[in-house]
Each structure stands twice: as C-alpha cells, then as structure tokens.
Amino acid sequence: MSTPTAIEGTLEREHLLQRAAEMARKYVREIGGRRVSPAVADVVNLAKFREGFPEAPSDPVRVLAMLDEIGSPATVAMTGGRYFGFVIGGALPASLAANWLAGAWDQNACLRVMSPVAAELEEVALGWVSEALRLPQDCEGGLVTCATTANFTALVAARQALLSRAGWNVVEEGMFGAPPIDVVVGKEVHASILKALCLAGLVARD
C-alpha cells in the first residue's frame, strides 16, 4: 500500500471540510422548522455512540456522518428562534462563520507569541467591553470559560480588596482566621455563584 502524499492528505481534509459545511448548512436551513427538544427516539438513538475504545484510527468520513446522522437530530434547537430555555442566545451568521474559521486556525491563545491574532482580537474585544460599560481606558480584563469562572474571578478580586483593607494578606495568610466577609445574595441566586463562593473559601450560610 502506498503512503498518502501531502497533496492527497490536503485533498482529503478539504473533502471532509466540504462535507461538514454541507451538513452544517442543511442543519441551519432546517432548524427553524423542527421541534425545539429532540424526539425521544432520537435521544435513545444516541446509544449508538457507545462503542469500545478503537484500536486504530477511525475513518473521518464515517465519524462525521455519525455525528450528523445520530447527533444532529438529538440537539436542542437553540438557534431555531423558538427556544426560550436558560439564557442562551442563537448564533449569528457572522459568529458561526468566524467559529468555523477559528476552528481551522486551531490556535493556542495562551501567549501572544503563540498566536498574535488571538491575542490581538482578545484585546480588541476587551476594549469594546470597556467602552460599552464606560470603564477607564486603562482598565484591564480577561476572557474566561464560563459563568462559574467569571463569578469566581470577580469574588476573589473582591475578597482580595476587602481583606487587604482589613489588614489581612490572603495570599500569604490564607483564609483560616481571616476577617469575616458578608456576601449578600437573593433567593434566586445562580448556582455558579454559590459554587464560586465555596471555591473562594467563603462559606454560605442562612
């Protein structure tokens, strides 16, 4: 068997991407006319994904086909226009297309030297947030992964500031024996905040 050439490998990737684009376009085209929650049969059908750990690489075309044939019908139609569960916005055409391109870039955005474009776009986005919120021009920020991480970051920053005013260095002395901090929340407080409070060493009590 001959070894695939670089050109053959490129053509295979392009074909796979083309198939993925066709599947995605079909999904977007049909999502507005289907039910919001998946049918029971489609959810049950997800069991077909449960295979043993493969001993060899899988055929990428087959993997993509399985994702579309089994996975697509079992999605929740969050982008269909009739979804009102949780706080989830539908994907705009520009954001969806940009997400495809970002996936192709496959950048590690840890450091600017690793991905200049990712670092630059992050600074632009954070600058826009500062402008929208009328924050000082020299205000710094960061992009996080989820609501829990965002709440945790904010709570830790507030904890640091409050304990510092009380003469307590939480970095060096920790939380044991630290001055108490009152955290006021409502009855419908989000679970991510309660989790973040625990991670920050601030025990919730009634």
Side-chain angles (χ1 to χ4, degrees), residues 116-151:
V117 63
E120 188 68 23
L121 291 176
E122 179 176 331
E123 290 185 4
V124 170
L126 291 172
W128 286 353
V129 172
S130 294
E131 288 183 36
L133 298 179
R134 293 188 172 88
L135 297 174
Q137 291 185 348
D138 59 350
C139 184
E140 297 290 340
L143 302 180
V144 295
T145 56
C146 61
T148 299
T149 304
N151 287 320

PDB file of all heavy atoms in Angstrom, residues 116-151:
ATOM      1  N   PRO A 116      -0.410  35.564  17.655  1.00  0.00           N
ATOM      2  CA  PRO A 116      -0.573  37.022  17.635  1.00  0.00           C
ATOM      3  C   PRO A 116      -2.007  37.459  17.334  1.00  0.00           C
ATOM      4  O   PRO A 116      -2.512  38.406  17.940  1.00  0.00           O
ATOM      5  CB  PRO A 116       0.392  37.464  16.528  1.00  0.00           C
ATOM      6  CG  PRO A 116       1.429  36.386  16.481  1.00  0.00           C
ATOM      7  CD  PRO A 116       0.673  35.123  16.770  1.00  0.00           C
ATOM      8  N   VAL A 117      -2.671  36.766  16.403  1.00  0.00           N
ATOM      9  CA  VAL A 117      -4.029  37.179  16.033  1.00  0.00           C
ATOM     10  C   VAL A 117      -5.002  36.966  17.185  1.00  0.00           C
ATOM     11  O   VAL A 117      -5.874  37.812  17.444  1.00  0.00           O
ATOM     12  CB  VAL A 117      -4.502  36.434  14.770  1.00  0.00           C
ATOM     13  CG1 VAL A 117      -4.589  34.932  15.005  1.00  0.00           C
ATOM     14  CG2 VAL A 117      -5.864  36.969  14.326  1.00  0.00           C
ATOM     15  N   ALA A 118      -4.883  35.849  17.907  1.00  0.00           N
ATOM     16  CA  ALA A 118      -5.793  35.595  19.028  1.00  0.00           C
ATOM     17  C   ALA A 118      -5.597  36.634  20.132  1.00  0.00           C
ATOM     18  O   ALA A 118      -6.570  37.143  20.705  1.00  0.00           O
ATOM     19  CB  ALA A 118      -5.557  34.191  19.580  1.00  0.00           C
ATOM     20  N   ALA A 119      -4.338  36.965  20.420  1.00  0.00           N
ATOM     21  CA  ALA A 119      -4.054  37.961  21.456  1.00  0.00           C
ATOM     22  C   ALA A 119      -4.588  39.333  21.070  1.00  0.00           C
ATOM     23  O   ALA A 119      -5.157  40.056  21.892  1.00  0.00           O
ATOM     24  CB  ALA A 119      -2.546  38.025  21.711  1.00  0.00           C
ATOM     25  N   GLU A 120      -4.426  39.687  19.798  1.00  0.00           N
ATOM     26  CA  GLU A 120      -4.892  40.993  19.331  1.00  0.00           C
ATOM     27  C   GLU A 120      -6.410  41.085  19.380  1.00  0.00           C
ATOM     28  O   GLU A 120      -6.977  42.092  19.842  1.00  0.00           O
ATOM     29  CB  GLU A 120      -4.399  41.234  17.902  1.00  0.00           C
ATOM     30  CG  GLU A 120      -4.655  42.646  17.391  1.00  0.00           C
ATOM     31  CD  GLU A 120      -3.826  43.698  18.102  1.00  0.00           C
ATOM     32  OE1 GLU A 120      -2.767  43.347  18.674  1.00  0.00           O
ATOM     33  OE2 GLU A 120      -4.246  44.879  18.103  1.00  0.00           O
ATOM     34  N   LEU A 121      -7.094  40.046  18.919  1.00  0.00           N
ATOM     35  CA  LEU A 121      -8.553  40.062  18.923  1.00  0.00           C
ATOM     36  C   LEU A 121      -9.111  40.075  20.342  1.00  0.00           C
ATOM     37  O   LEU A 121     -10.154  40.682  20.608  1.00  0.00           O
ATOM     38  CB  LEU A 121      -9.088  38.851  18.155  1.00  0.00           C
ATOM     39  CG  LEU A 121      -8.840  38.862  16.642  1.00  0.00           C
ATOM     40  CD1 LEU A 121      -9.329  37.568  16.013  1.00  0.00           C
ATOM     41  CD2 LEU A 121      -9.512  40.068  15.993  1.00  0.00           C
ATOM     42  N   GLU A 122      -8.414  39.398  21.259  1.00  0.00           N
ATOM     43  CA  GLU A 122      -8.847  39.422  22.660  1.00  0.00           C
ATOM     44  C   GLU A 122      -8.767  40.838  23.215  1.00  0.00           C
ATOM     45  O   GLU A 122      -9.689  41.303  23.896  1.00  0.00           O
ATOM     46  CB  GLU A 122      -7.975  38.490  23.499  1.00  0.00           C
ATOM     47  CG  GLU A 122      -8.350  38.484  24.973  1.00  0.00           C
ATOM     48  CD  GLU A 122      -7.539  37.489  25.781  1.00  0.00           C
ATOM     49  OE1 GLU A 122      -7.108  36.471  25.210  1.00  0.00           O
ATOM     50  OE2 GLU A 122      -7.335  37.724  26.988  1.00  0.00           O
ATOM     51  N   GLU A 123      -7.683  41.553  22.917  1.00  0.00           N
ATOM     52  CA  GLU A 123      -7.538  42.921  23.406  1.00  0.00           C
ATOM     53  C   GLU A 123      -8.596  43.834  22.799  1.00  0.00           C
ATOM     54  O   GLU A 123      -9.133  44.717  23.475  1.00  0.00           O
ATOM     55  CB  GLU A 123      -6.137  43.444  23.096  1.00  0.00           C
ATOM     56  CG  GLU A 123      -5.043  42.782  23.920  1.00  0.00           C
ATOM     57  CD  GLU A 123      -3.681  43.407  23.675  1.00  0.00           C
ATOM     58  OE1 GLU A 123      -3.615  44.405  22.918  1.00  0.00           O
ATOM     59  OE2 GLU A 123      -2.684  42.900  24.227  1.00  0.00           O
ATOM     60  N   VAL A 124      -8.900  43.630  21.524  1.00  0.00           N
ATOM     61  CA  VAL A 124      -9.933  44.438  20.863  1.00  0.00           C
ATOM     62  C   VAL A 124     -11.293  44.202  21.524  1.00  0.00           C
ATOM     63  O   VAL A 124     -12.028  45.149  21.835  1.00  0.00           O
ATOM     64  CB  VAL A 124     -10.002  44.099  19.361  1.00  0.00           C
ATOM     65  CG1 VAL A 124     -11.234  44.755  18.728  1.00  0.00           C
ATOM     66  CG2 VAL A 124      -8.739  44.567  18.648  1.00  0.00           C
ATOM     67  N   ALA A 125     -11.630  42.926  21.752  1.00  0.00           N
ATOM     68  CA  ALA A 125     -12.922  42.597  22.362  1.00  0.00           C
ATOM     69  C   ALA A 125     -13.030  43.177  23.769  1.00  0.00           C
ATOM     70  O   ALA A 125     -14.078  43.737  24.146  1.00  0.00           O
ATOM     71  CB  ALA A 125     -13.098  41.079  22.402  1.00  0.00           C
ATOM     72  N   LEU A 126     -11.970  43.065  24.550  1.00  0.00           N
ATOM     73  CA  LEU A 126     -11.990  43.609  25.908  1.00  0.00           C
ATOM     74  C   LEU A 126     -12.074  45.130  25.890  1.00  0.00           C
ATOM     75  O   LEU A 126     -12.723  45.740  26.745  1.00  0.00           O
ATOM     76  CB  LEU A 126     -10.746  43.155  26.671  1.00  0.00           C
ATOM     77  CG  LEU A 126     -10.693  41.662  27.003  1.00  0.00           C
ATOM     78  CD1 LEU A 126      -9.335  41.286  27.578  1.00  0.00           C
ATOM     79  CD2 LEU A 126     -11.801  41.295  27.992  1.00  0.00           C
ATOM     80  N   GLY A 127     -11.434  45.741  24.889  1.00  0.00           N
ATOM     81  CA  GLY A 127     -11.537  47.191  24.764  1.00  0.00           C
ATOM     82  C   GLY A 127     -12.956  47.628  24.459  1.00  0.00           C
ATOM     83  O   GLY A 127     -13.439  48.635  24.997  1.00  0.00           O
ATOM     84  N   TRP A 128     -13.636  46.866  23.612  1.00  0.00           N
ATOM     85  CA  TRP A 128     -15.033  47.177  23.301  1.00  0.00           C
ATOM     86  C   TRP A 128     -15.922  47.049  24.541  1.00  0.00           C
ATOM     87  O   TRP A 128     -16.820  47.859  24.755  1.00  0.00           O
ATOM     88  CB  TRP A 128     -15.539  46.251  22.202  1.00  0.00           C
ATOM     89  CG  TRP A 128     -15.009  46.587  20.841  1.00  0.00           C
ATOM     90  CD1 TRP A 128     -14.265  47.683  20.498  1.00  0.00           C
ATOM     91  CD2 TRP A 128     -15.210  45.836  19.640  1.00  0.00           C
ATOM     92  NE1 TRP A 128     -13.976  47.652  19.154  1.00  0.00           N
ATOM     93  CE2 TRP A 128     -14.535  46.538  18.604  1.00  0.00           C
ATOM     94  CE3 TRP A 128     -15.857  44.653  19.344  1.00  0.00           C
ATOM     95  CZ2 TRP A 128     -14.519  46.084  17.290  1.00  0.00           C
ATOM     96  CZ3 TRP A 128     -15.844  44.194  18.036  1.00  0.00           C
ATOM     97  CH2 TRP A 128     -15.188  44.901  17.022  1.00  0.00           C
ATOM     98  N   VAL A 129     -15.662  46.020  25.354  1.00  0.00           N
ATOM     99  CA  VAL A 129     -16.437  45.852  26.590  1.00  0.00           C
ATOM    100  C   VAL A 129     -16.227  47.047  27.512  1.00  0.00           C
ATOM    101  O   VAL A 129     -17.172  47.573  28.108  1.00  0.00           O
ATOM    102  CB  VAL A 129     -16.038  44.544  27.302  1.00  0.00           C
ATOM    103  CG1 VAL A 129     -16.688  44.461  28.678  1.00  0.00           C
ATOM    104  CG2 VAL A 129     -16.438  43.330  26.470  1.00  0.00           C
ATOM    105  N   SER A 130     -14.980  47.496  27.629  1.00  0.00           N
ATOM    106  CA  SER A 130     -14.680  48.649  28.481  1.00  0.00           C
ATOM    107  C   SER A 130     -15.405  49.894  27.974  1.00  0.00           C
ATOM    108  O   SER A 130     -15.958  50.673  28.759  1.00  0.00           O
ATOM    109  CB  SER A 130     -13.168  48.903  28.517  1.00  0.00           C
ATOM    110  OG  SER A 130     -12.493  47.838  29.157  1.00  0.00           O
ATOM    111  N   GLU A 131     -15.404  50.078  26.649  1.00  0.00           N
ATOM    112  CA  GLU A 131     -16.098  51.234  26.071  1.00  0.00           C
ATOM    113  C   GLU A 131     -17.599  51.143  26.322  1.00  0.00           C
ATOM    114  O   GLU A 131     -18.244  52.138  26.679  1.00  0.00           O
ATOM    115  CB  GLU A 131     -15.832  51.314  24.574  1.00  0.00           C
ATOM    116  CG  GLU A 131     -14.417  51.747  24.209  1.00  0.00           C
ATOM    117  CD  GLU A 131     -14.253  51.884  22.711  1.00  0.00           C
ATOM    118  OE1 GLU A 131     -15.220  52.310  22.033  1.00  0.00           O
ATOM    119  OE2 GLU A 131     -13.158  51.568  22.204  1.00  0.00           O
ATOM    120  N   ALA A 132     -18.166  49.959  26.120  1.00  0.00           N
ATOM    121  CA  ALA A 132     -19.608  49.788  26.293  1.00  0.00           C
ATOM    122  C   ALA A 132     -20.035  50.054  27.733  1.00  0.00           C
ATOM    123  O   ALA A 132     -21.119  50.598  27.983  1.00  0.00           O
ATOM    124  CB  ALA A 132     -20.025  48.384  25.866  1.00  0.00           C
ATOM    125  N   LEU A 133     -19.185  49.678  28.686  1.00  0.00           N
ATOM    126  CA  LEU A 133     -19.500  49.859  30.106  1.00  0.00           C
ATOM    127  C   LEU A 133     -18.966  51.179  30.652  1.00  0.00           C
ATOM    128  O   LEU A 133     -19.079  51.443  31.848  1.00  0.00           O
ATOM    129  CB  LEU A 133     -18.919  48.688  30.913  1.00  0.00           C
ATOM    130  CG  LEU A 133     -19.464  47.298  30.561  1.00  0.00           C
ATOM    131  CD1 LEU A 133     -18.784  46.227  31.407  1.00  0.00           C
ATOM    132  CD2 LEU A 133     -20.976  47.243  30.762  1.00  0.00           C
ATOM    133  N   ARG A 134     -18.356  51.986  29.770  1.00  0.00           N
ATOM    134  CA  ARG A 134     -17.790  53.283  30.150  1.00  0.00           C
ATOM    135  C   ARG A 134     -16.762  53.134  31.283  1.00  0.00           C
ATOM    136  O   ARG A 134     -16.743  53.917  32.234  1.00  0.00           O
ATOM    137  CB  ARG A 134     -18.903  54.262  30.541  1.00  0.00           C
ATOM    138  CG  ARG A 134     -19.806  54.658  29.386  1.00  0.00           C
ATOM    139  CD  ARG A 134     -20.769  55.777  29.799  1.00  0.00           C
ATOM    140  NE  ARG A 134     -21.509  56.298  28.666  1.00  0.00           N
ATOM    141  CZ  ARG A 134     -22.653  55.812  28.230  1.00  0.00           C
ATOM    142  NH1 ARG A 134     -23.193  54.783  28.853  1.00  0.00           N
ATOM    143  NH2 ARG A 134     -23.267  56.341  27.190  1.00  0.00           N
ATOM    144  N   LEU A 135     -15.917  52.139  31.151  1.00  0.00           N
ATOM    145  CA  LEU A 135     -14.851  51.925  32.118  1.00  0.00           C
ATOM    146  C   LEU A 135     -13.628  52.741  31.711  1.00  0.00           C
ATOM    147  O   LEU A 135     -13.507  53.172  30.560  1.00  0.00           O
ATOM    148  CB  LEU A 135     -14.489  50.439  32.169  1.00  0.00           C
ATOM    149  CG  LEU A 135     -15.598  49.496  32.649  1.00  0.00           C
ATOM    150  CD1 LEU A 135     -15.160  48.048  32.506  1.00  0.00           C
ATOM    151  CD2 LEU A 135     -15.972  49.799  34.091  1.00  0.00           C
ATOM    152  N   PRO A 136     -12.688  52.972  32.627  1.00  0.00           N
ATOM    153  CA  PRO A 136     -11.474  53.734  32.286  1.00  0.00           C
ATOM    154  C   PRO A 136     -10.723  53.076  31.127  1.00  0.00           C
ATOM    155  O   PRO A 136     -10.747  51.854  30.965  1.00  0.00           O
ATOM    156  CB  PRO A 136     -10.654  53.672  33.579  1.00  0.00           C
ATOM    157  CG  PRO A 136     -11.663  53.469  34.662  1.00  0.00           C
ATOM    158  CD  PRO A 136     -12.730  52.604  34.056  1.00  0.00           C
ATOM    159  N   GLN A 137     -10.064  53.885  30.312  1.00  0.00           N
ATOM    160  CA  GLN A 137      -9.361  53.382  29.140  1.00  0.00           C
ATOM    161  C   GLN A 137      -8.239  52.416  29.509  1.00  0.00           C
ATOM    162  O   GLN A 137      -7.888  51.541  28.717  1.00  0.00           O
ATOM    163  CB  GLN A 137      -8.798  54.546  28.319  1.00  0.00           C
ATOM    164  CG  GLN A 137      -9.871  55.383  27.635  1.00  0.00           C
ATOM    165  CD  GLN A 137      -9.278  56.450  26.747  1.00  0.00           C
ATOM    166  OE1 GLN A 137      -8.079  56.718  26.790  1.00  0.00           O
ATOM    167  NE2 GLN A 137     -10.122  57.072  25.928  1.00  0.00           N
ATOM    168  N   ASP A 138      -7.665  52.595  30.698  1.00  0.00           N
ATOM    169  CA  ASP A 138      -6.565  51.719  31.116  1.00  0.00           C
ATOM    170  C   ASP A 138      -7.063  50.487  31.867  1.00  0.00           C
ATOM    171  O   ASP A 138      -6.276  49.753  32.455  1.00  0.00           O
ATOM    172  CB  ASP A 138      -5.563  52.479  31.982  1.00  0.00           C
ATOM    173  CG  ASP A 138      -6.211  53.057  33.243  1.00  0.00           C
ATOM    174  OD1 ASP A 138      -7.465  53.036  33.337  1.00  0.00           O
ATOM    175  OD2 ASP A 138      -5.470  53.527  34.129  1.00  0.00           O
ATOM    176  N   CYS A 139      -8.372  50.256  31.831  1.00  0.00           N
ATOM    177  CA  CYS A 139      -8.948  49.089  32.520  1.00  0.00           C
ATOM    178  C   CYS A 139      -8.505  47.802  31.829  1.00  0.00           C
ATOM    179  O   CYS A 139      -8.462  47.723  30.604  1.00  0.00           O
ATOM    180  CB  CYS A 139     -10.467  49.183  32.527  1.00  0.00           C
ATOM    181  SG  CYS A 139     -11.286  47.866  33.443  1.00  0.00           S
ATOM    182  N   GLU A 140      -8.151  46.805  32.618  1.00  0.00           N
ATOM    183  CA  GLU A 140      -7.728  45.514  32.084  1.00  0.00           C
ATOM    184  C   GLU A 140      -8.828  44.479  32.285  1.00  0.00           C
ATOM    185  O   GLU A 140      -9.715  44.645  33.127  1.00  0.00           O
ATOM    186  CB  GLU A 140      -6.449  45.037  32.780  1.00  0.00           C
ATOM    187  CG  GLU A 140      -5.243  45.938  32.558  1.00  0.00           C
ATOM    188  CD  GLU A 140      -4.723  45.874  31.144  1.00  0.00           C
ATOM    189  OE1 GLU A 140      -5.042  44.884  30.444  1.00  0.00           O
ATOM    190  OE2 GLU A 140      -4.002  46.795  30.718  1.00  0.00           O
ATOM    191  N   GLY A 141      -8.784  43.409  31.523  1.00  0.00           N
ATOM    192  CA  GLY A 141      -9.782  42.355  31.662  1.00  0.00           C
ATOM    193  C   GLY A 141      -9.246  41.041  31.160  1.00  0.00           C
ATOM    194  O   GLY A 141      -8.075  40.937  30.763  1.00  0.00           O
ATOM    195  N   GLY A 142     -10.078  40.050  31.186  1.00  0.00           N
ATOM    196  CA  GLY A 142      -9.689  38.734  30.712  1.00  0.00           C
ATOM    197  C   GLY A 142     -10.913  37.955  30.278  1.00  0.00           C
ATOM    198  O   GLY A 142     -12.019  38.197  30.782  1.00  0.00           O
ATOM    199  N   LEU A 143     -10.734  37.061  29.326  1.00  0.00           N
ATOM    200  CA  LEU A 143     -11.818  36.204  28.859  1.00  0.00           C
ATOM    201  C   LEU A 143     -11.760  34.886  29.611  1.00  0.00           C
ATOM    202  O   LEU A 143     -10.700  34.272  29.722  1.00  0.00           O
ATOM    203  CB  LEU A 143     -11.692  35.958  27.354  1.00  0.00           C
ATOM    204  CG  LEU A 143     -11.698  37.213  26.474  1.00  0.00           C
ATOM    205  CD1 LEU A 143     -11.562  36.835  25.010  1.00  0.00           C
ATOM    206  CD2 LEU A 143     -12.978  38.022  26.694  1.00  0.00           C
ATOM    207  N   VAL A 144     -12.899  34.451  30.139  1.00  0.00           N
ATOM    208  CA  VAL A 144     -12.948  33.223  30.922  1.00  0.00           C
ATOM    209  C   VAL A 144     -13.825  32.188  30.224  1.00  0.00           C
ATOM    210  O   VAL A 144     -14.440  32.463  29.199  1.00  0.00           O
ATOM    211  CB  VAL A 144     -13.465  33.505  32.347  1.00  0.00           C
ATOM    212  CG1 VAL A 144     -12.491  34.389  33.098  1.00  0.00           C
ATOM    213  CG2 VAL A 144     -14.841  34.164  32.311  1.00  0.00           C
ATOM    214  N   THR A 145     -13.890  31.016  30.806  1.00  0.00           N
ATOM    215  CA  THR A 145     -14.531  29.892  30.127  1.00  0.00           C
ATOM    216  C   THR A 145     -16.014  29.735  30.420  1.00  0.00           C
ATOM    217  O   THR A 145     -16.728  29.104  29.638  1.00  0.00           O
ATOM    218  CB  THR A 145     -13.821  28.590  30.517  1.00  0.00           C
ATOM    219  OG1 THR A 145     -13.821  28.462  31.952  1.00  0.00           O
ATOM    220  CG2 THR A 145     -12.382  28.601  30.032  1.00  0.00           C
ATOM    221  N   CYS A 146     -16.481  30.273  31.548  1.00  0.00           N
ATOM    222  CA  CYS A 146     -17.878  30.009  31.925  1.00  0.00           C
ATOM    223  C   CYS A 146     -18.312  30.972  33.013  1.00  0.00           C
ATOM    224  O   CYS A 146     -17.511  31.759  33.539  1.00  0.00           O
ATOM    225  CB  CYS A 146     -18.035  28.569  32.393  1.00  0.00           C
ATOM    226  SG  CYS A 146     -17.033  28.187  33.860  1.00  0.00           S
ATOM    227  N   ALA A 147     -19.594  30.893  33.393  1.00  0.00           N
ATOM    228  CA  ALA A 147     -20.148  31.759  34.423  1.00  0.00           C
ATOM    229  C   ALA A 147     -19.491  31.504  35.778  1.00  0.00           C
ATOM    230  O   ALA A 147     -19.227  32.437  36.538  1.00  0.00           O
ATOM    231  CB  ALA A 147     -21.659  31.549  34.525  1.00  0.00           C
ATOM    232  N   THR A 148     -19.210  30.246  36.088  1.00  0.00           N
ATOM    233  CA  THR A 148     -18.584  29.925  37.373  1.00  0.00           C
ATOM    234  C   THR A 148     -17.211  30.568  37.470  1.00  0.00           C
ATOM    235  O   THR A 148     -16.857  31.170  38.497  1.00  0.00           O
ATOM    236  CB  THR A 148     -18.452  28.399  37.545  1.00  0.00           C
ATOM    237  OG1 THR A 148     -19.750  27.817  37.520  1.00  0.00           O
ATOM    238  CG2 THR A 148     -17.786  28.062  38.873  1.00  0.00           C
ATOM    239  N   THR A 149     -16.421  30.475  36.412  1.00  0.00           N
ATOM    240  CA  THR A 149     -15.086  31.070  36.422  1.00  0.00           C
ATOM    241  C   THR A 149     -15.173  32.588  36.495  1.00  0.00           C
ATOM    242  O   THR A 149     -14.370  33.234  37.187  1.00  0.00           O
ATOM    243  CB  THR A 149     -14.309  30.654  35.162  1.00  0.00           C
ATOM    244  OG1 THR A 149     -14.270  29.237  35.083  1.00  0.00           O
ATOM    245  CG2 THR A 149     -12.884  31.191  35.202  1.00  0.00           C
ATOM    246  N   ALA A 150     -16.140  33.178  35.791  1.00  0.00           N
ATOM    247  CA  ALA A 150     -16.312  34.627  35.830  1.00  0.00           C
ATOM    248  C   ALA A 150     -16.680  35.090  37.234  1.00  0.00           C
ATOM    249  O   ALA A 150     -16.092  36.050  37.768  1.00  0.00           O
ATOM    250  CB  ALA A 150     -17.389  35.050  34.833  1.00  0.00           C
ATOM    251  N   ASN A 151     -17.645  34.419  37.857  1.00  0.00           N
ATOM    252  CA  ASN A 151     -18.043  34.779  39.212  1.00  0.00           C
ATOM    253  C   ASN A 151     -16.912  34.536  40.199  1.00  0.00           C
ATOM    254  O   ASN A 151     -16.691  35.332  41.125  1.00  0.00           O
ATOM    255  CB  ASN A 151     -19.279  33.979  39.631  1.00  0.00           C
ATOM    256  CG  ASN A 151     -20.538  34.454  38.932  1.00  0.00           C
ATOM    257  OD1 ASN A 151     -20.750  35.645  38.756  1.00  0.00           O
ATOM    258  ND2 ASN A 151     -21.382  33.524  38.529  1.00  0.00           N
TER     259      ASN A 151
END
